Amino acid sequence: MCGIVGYVGCKEATPVLVNGLKKLEYRGYDSAGIAVYDGQNIIVRKVKGALRLLVEDVTKQVVRQTKDQSETECDKREAELIAQMGQFVKGSIGIGHTRWATHGEPNDINAHPHLNESGTIAIVHNGIIENYAKLKAWLQEQGVVFRSQTDTEVIAHLINYYYEDSHDIFDAVLQTLGRLEGSYALGVISKDYPDRIIAARKESPLIIGLGNGENFIASDVPAVLEHTREVYFLDQKQIAVLYADHVDLFDEEGNKVIKESYHVDWDISSAEKNGYAHFMLKEIHEQPKALTDTLRPRLIMQNDKPVDIKLEEAKSLTDEALKDAKRIVITACGTAYHAGVVAKYAFERFARIPVTVDVASEFRYRNPIFEKGDIFIVISQSGETADTLAALRLAKEAGVHVIAITNCVGSTVSREADDVIYTWAGPEIAVASTKAYTTQLACLYLLSLKSGLVRGTLTRDAYEKLLTELNETPQKIEQILAHQETIQKFVSKNFNKQKVFFIGRQFDSATSLECALKLKEVSYMHSEAFAAGELKHGPIALVDSDTLVVAIATDHAMYEKLASNIVEVKSRGCATLVITQEQGNAFNSAADEIIRIPQVSDDLASLLSVIPAQLFAYYCAVLRGNNPDKPRNLAKSVTVE
């Protein structure tokens, strides 16, 4: 949540800051602002609303789309004005922020950056300061007058308090950090130290971009990709001091530390739309490549066929560890949690091992029971999800082996887990996860299949057959995407339904959870998922002519039962859609529309059946006039509770 950028170098800082913030818009925000030192004073510009309004505020020119102007023309004009912003707010050092309100309503005053009373220190902050009320009361006793309702303003005044005593900005920041409870990623500039930015993090992510004669801070890599590919991922409680020509790193006690930089090998174009109308659609179409990149390096091939799995990065996850495991515990949030629910079916089917799946926000507070021999799996696209991190730390404290599945190298989850398995999905910009979900599933399938082989619950023949099918899923997804117009046509007739219910059995029931979430996230339609066998136990009372029922039906043994469910709801006047395999003929006379996925093992069909549902959600959002990349009230990475 929220976005931070910072720049120190020889260029005009303002265009760099605003462009960096645009790259972080996917994180979600309700206000935006910048602070730039112009050689005499720290100039702050901040507004409630979109970044475009900040551009208008700085340049005094309107860049919003008009009736006779296309969105592309508007974006081009905005880019031109951003390039000129340095003419209006000059200076070669500055910080910027996009805020998602946690304390205080979204407005101009509560927007970041925040200043001390004299305007000589400016800060931006992601996270939550849990003891801010106590600190605020103490500062008010010292005579400090607050302007905003935020917890963040406390930090600016606290730094100023210690600076007045020591006249050393680094020492003032260090002392301030020692009094903060909660989470933070910070960027600090001072009028008295116009050659440096001080950055620090605890819980909330922050990276340092290492340039040539310039350096950057940012919440995430896409903000700095056009300037550099060398980055530091700050560790917990680590502090960085950035100058134009170098960066110094320190621990929480102020001792210098040495750290290896990380080279980002993403193609810059992978963070752009590449001709697609939205990032969400682009990322849906990127799934074949993302799955290929995630699967192929982990498959041992013989005669062009996969015969085994290698998880070289998970060094302590040996065959013996998988064989001796007594239980699998999976915890995650949102879409990642739904991947875990599918994995429960996979582990229990292939490896015959009991699996518990928990929502991380519940797991961390219910005094969970850990047992010797547990394998604990945490799943997080960003690797920074606050509740998932808390669950991970509980497991570590209990001495349980932790495996992390994440898309972000260098993230907190990846550093703190015993083993990490990366989903090589590349950057995912749209808030609603698509390729992150399917690559998480791929990693979980690899783990469950390998467990089944070493535990003797899968024969070698069955194992290799399933690996072959898993290896073929990217091509099969391409086949689904090649016929997306069928889904688009069906959506055009049903995008205005009041209720959408997804039903399924076994693996399909788990997949339905993700299908319903994707639709409600981007279309704002009321959608729910039910195990199909539970229809008569309550949900069928909701079915009427304003309802669409979508059946995920890929389990051959359950075709007749699902067909019966479809007949039941259709008789009550609702529209029906079935997503099934090529040979799912049981639904020919029952459903209004059938979307057929390529034939695949029932146990692997979750990788394919979710694709039409993703497209369904996307087209519903577009036809309802929503921006599927930036759904209201949502953010990409939930790094605070």
Side-chain angles (χ1 to χ4, degrees):
M1 300 177 81
C2 310
I4 283 177
V5 294
Y7 175 80
V8 56
C10 58
K11 296 175 184 173
E12 290 290 349
T14 304
V16 176
L17 297 175
V18 176
N19 270 319
L21 291 175
K22 283 187 70 65
K23 302 295 185 184
L24 299 177
E25 282 188 297
Y26 66 88
R27 298 173 68 88
Y29 68 101
D30 52 43
S31 57
I34 57 171
V36 175
Y37 178 67
D38 70 354
Q40 293 184 314
N41 297 295
I42 295 176
I43 307 299
V44 174
R45 296 285 185 271
K46 54 184 183 176
V47 298
K48 174 188 174 181
L51 269 170
R52 187 161 288 179
L53 299 179
L54 179 63
V55 176
E56 292 180 1
D57 180 73
V58 172
T59 63
K60 308 303 179 188
Q61 296 191 53
V62 176
V63 293
R64 280 165 284 184
Q65 186 177 350
T66 60
K67 288 184 179 180
D68 58 348
Q69 183 184 48
S70 70
E71 184 177 355
T72 301
E73 289 172 328
C74 185
D75 289 341
K76 184 178 179 181
R77 176 59 178 153
E78 183 181 9
E80 291 171 350
L81 288 174
I82 291 172
Q84 299 168 17
M85 287 181 80
Q87 299 172 17
F88 302 95
V89 181
K90 289 183 171 294
S92 57
I93 182 171
I95 49 179
H97 189 267
T98 48
R99 175 180 187 252
W100 184 271
T102 56
H103 292 80
E105 65 182 89
N107 60 31
D108 293 357
I109 295 173
N110 289 332
H112 297 212
H114 287 284
L115 298 167
N116 62 337
E117 286 187 284
S118 61
T120 58
I121 295 170
I123 74 158
V124 289
H125 162 235
N126 286 351
I128 292 178
I129 304 305
E130 295 172 358
N131 62 333
Y132 89 97
K134 181 180 178 181
L135 291 171
K136 182 175 182 177
W138 179 80
L139 285 163
Q140 287 173 326
E141 289 174 2
Q142 314 307 310
V144 174
V145 176
F146 282 76
R147 301 182 183 91
S148 77
Q149 302 167 301
T150 68
D151 57 336
T152 297
E153 191 182 352
V154 165
I155 305 172
H157 295 309
L158 203 55
I159 293 172
N160 181 74
Y161 175 84
Y162 288 114
Y163 181 69
E164 287 181 347
D165 182 56
S166 68
H167 297 289
D168 183 316
I169 192 64
F170 180 80
D171 181 69
V173 171
L174 199 64
Q175 290 192 68
T176 296
L177 297 180
R179 294 194 63 180
L180 301 182
E181 297 174 10
S183 59
Y184 56 77
L186 288 176
V188 182
I189 59 173
S190 168
K191 175 182 175 179
D192 296 341
Y193 290 82
D195 62 339
R196 70 198 70 177
I197 299 173
I198 299 177
R201 74 156 295 226
K202 177 190 173 191
E203 309 296 348
S204 292
L206 197 65
I207 64 110
I208 308 297
L210 305 172
N212 183 14
E214 58 186 5
N215 290 299
F216 311 81
I217 64 171
S219 298
D220 207 350
V221 171
V224 303
L225 263 186
E226 64 180 286
H227 306 287
T228 180
R229 293 179 177 276
E230 294 299 320
V231 301
Y232 289 136
F233 293 98
L234 284 189
D235 292 328
Q236 279 282 74
K237 298 184 179 181
Q238 206 162 61
I239 306 165
V241 182
L242 291 76
Y243 305 85
D245 58 354
H246 71 285
V247 175
D248 293 326
L249 300 177
F250 302 87
D251 64 20
E252 61 186 302
E253 296 177 352
N255 302 309
K256 271 196 174 184
V257 297
I258 304 299
K259 188 179 183 69
E260 289 289 325
S261 65
Y262 176 77
H263 181 77
V264 178
D265 56 7
W266 298 349
D267 184 348
I268 293 177
S269 66
S270 65
E272 302 297 339
K273 291 181 185 175
N274 281 5
Y276 288 94
H278 298 95
F279 282 115
M280 183 178 179
L281 185 60
K282 172 177 178 278
E283 288 158 9
I284 289 171
H285 280 262
E286 286 177 340
Q287 287 176 108
K289 182 181 186 301
L291 281 167
T292 299
D293 292 344
T294 298
L295 289 169
R296 290 290 171 83
R298 289 154 175 153
L299 295 176
I300 298 173
M301 309 292 288
Q302 286 183 6
N303 300 321
D304 295 326
K305 288 189 175 183
V307 295
D308 208 348
I309 296 167
K310 55 180 178 180
L311 299 170
E312 294 177 343
E313 67 268 54
K315 297 187 185 302
S316 59
L317 191 64
T318 61
D319 287 359
E320 289 72 23
L322 292 172
K323 188 182 298 183
D324 295 340
K326 298 294 187 291
R327 181 179 65 151
I328 303 288
V329 180
I330 302 173
T331 188
C333 300
T335 286
Y337 167 75
H338 296 157
V341 178
V342 175
K344 172 183 172 67
Y345 285 95
F347 274 105
E348 292 184 349
R349 183 73 56 87
F350 301 143
R352 306 301 300 153
I353 183 171
V355 179
T356 298
V357 188
D358 256 308
V359 175
S361 57
E362 290 293 301
F363 182 88
R364 65 181 293 192
Y365 290 116
R366 64 172 177 78
N367 192 20
I369 299 169
F370 295 97
E371 299 177 6
K372 186 177 180 181
D374 283 352
I375 290 180
F376 194 82
I377 301 175
V378 296
I379 313 168
S380 170
Q381 185 277 145
S382 68
E384 303 291 348
T385 309
D387 289 317
T388 305
L389 276 168
L392 180 156
R393 288 163 183 160
L394 276 175
K396 292 280 286 184
E397 289 171 8
V400 174
H401 188 93
V402 177
I403 303 167
I405 296 176
T406 182
N407 192 42
C408 293
V409 175
S411 61
T412 306
V413 158
S414 70
R415 294 195 303 272
E416 295 191 13
D418 296 301
D419 289 300
V420 59
I421 300 173
Y422 289 109
T423 58
W424 299 117
E428 189 177 64
I429 306 302
V431 168
S433 285
T434 51
K435 62 179 180 174
Y437 174 75
T438 48
T439 52
Q440 287 164 0
L441 279 188
C443 291
L444 290 162
Y445 271 123
L446 289 171
L447 272 173
S448 59
L449 288 169
K450 186 68 172 179
S451 298
L453 180 70
V454 301
R455 294 169 69 88
T457 52
L458 263 185
T459 66
R460 168 61 68 172
D461 285 347
Y463 177 70
E464 291 186 12
K465 181 178 183 297
L466 287 164
L467 287 186
T468 297
E469 290 205 52
L470 192 60
N471 188 44
E472 292 170 350
T473 53
Q475 291 75 30
K476 291 179 178 179
I477 290 176
E478 287 179 349
Q479 294 175 40
I480 297 171
L481 294 172
H483 297 94
Q484 64 187 40
E485 68 278 355
T486 304
I487 301 163
Q488 191 173 6
K489 183 178 179 181
F490 182 79
V491 168
S492 69
K493 301 174 184 177
N494 292 278
F495 70 91
N496 57 353
K497 291 293 183 183
Q498 296 299 310
K499 297 166 286 187
V500 182
F501 299 143
F502 291 84
I503 61 173
R505 294 173 183 260
Q506 302 295 300
F507 279 92
D508 295 332
S509 176
T511 304
S512 293
L513 294 170
E514 175 58 15
C515 298
L517 175 64
K518 211 53 51 195
L519 183 62
K520 71 178 69 170
E521 281 181 320
V522 299
S523 75
Y524 317 147
M525 298 167 75
H526 178 78
S527 62
E528 299 293 339
F530 303 109
E534 292 297 296
L535 268 178
K536 291 181 179 179
H537 296 277
I540 201 167
L542 299 170
V543 172
D544 56 27
S545 59
D546 288 327
T547 307
L548 168 65
V549 173
V550 182
I552 313 296
T554 64
D555 187 337
H556 286 68
M558 297 292 176
Y559 280 176
E560 295 300 329
K561 291 185 181 296
L562 260 297
S564 175
N565 292 139
I566 289 294
V567 170
E568 285 178 318
V569 296
K570 192 173 181 182
S571 69
R572 287 158 174 83
C574 75
T576 56
L577 169 67
V578 174
I579 298 172
T580 188
Q581 299 205 48
E582 288 174 346
Q583 298 172 8
N585 297 320
F587 309 100
N588 289 354
S589 60
D592 295 323
E593 184 68 52
I594 300 175
I595 305 296
R596 300 186 187 278
I597 62 173
Q599 205 65 31
V600 66
S601 166
D602 295 355
D603 298 334
L604 300 178
S606 292
L607 277 167
L608 303 185
S609 58
V610 74
I611 307 299
Q614 291 173 347
L615 289 166
F616 180 85
Y618 169 78
Y619 286 120
C620 279
V622 172
L623 287 175
R624 291 168 69 90
N626 303 336
N627 182 347
D629 291 342
K630 302 171 190 173
R632 67 190 182 200
N633 304 330
L634 297 179
K636 186 66 177 175
S637 177
V638 184
T639 57
V640 296
E641 290 188 69

